Amino acid sequence: MVKDDVVLHPKHYTVGNIECLTYLEDSLDDGFSYFLEGNVKKYLHRFRYKHTNINDQLNDLKKAQFYLNKLIDVMSK
């Protein structure tokens, strides 16, 4: 059972038998790396402007880091 984590495993992405990210990786094939890159850019772009609370800003930076780490893993295969 995965513990609820707003950055790594948000509840709304882990409903059902397969996590959303796993489904996307399986269904997007080579496009998955572009999806990851887009999410890195999205979270880096918005962290200063969407949130005024430092904890929320840090969560967006951690999300960017998560997607960047996943992109590095995918590109290393």
Side-chain angles (χ1 to χ4, degrees), residues 3 7-8 13 15 21 23 26 31 36 39 47 51 57 59 62 64 67 73 77:
K3 181 181 172 191
V7 174
L8 301 179
Y13 285 172
V15 174
L21 194 60
Y23 168 77
D26 186 55
L36 296 170
N39 276 334
F47 85 95
H51 307 290
Q57 290 176 337
N59 277 340
K62 289 175 186 176
Y67 284 109
D73 289 344
K77 290 180 181 178

Side-chain angles (χ1 to χ4, degrees), residues 18-36 39 66-67 69-77:
I18 185 169
E19 189 165 343
C20 182
L21 194 60
T22 305
Y23 168 77
L24 289 169
E25 183 173 14
D26 186 55
S27 64
L28 293 177
D29 294 320
D30 294 337
F32 186 60
S33 66
Y34 295 100
F35 165 79
L36 296 170
N39 276 334
F66 168 81
Y67 284 109
N69 288 338
K70 183 72 174 171
L71 178 58
I72 291 168
D73 289 344
V74 166
M75 298 301 294
S76 298
K77 290 180 181 178

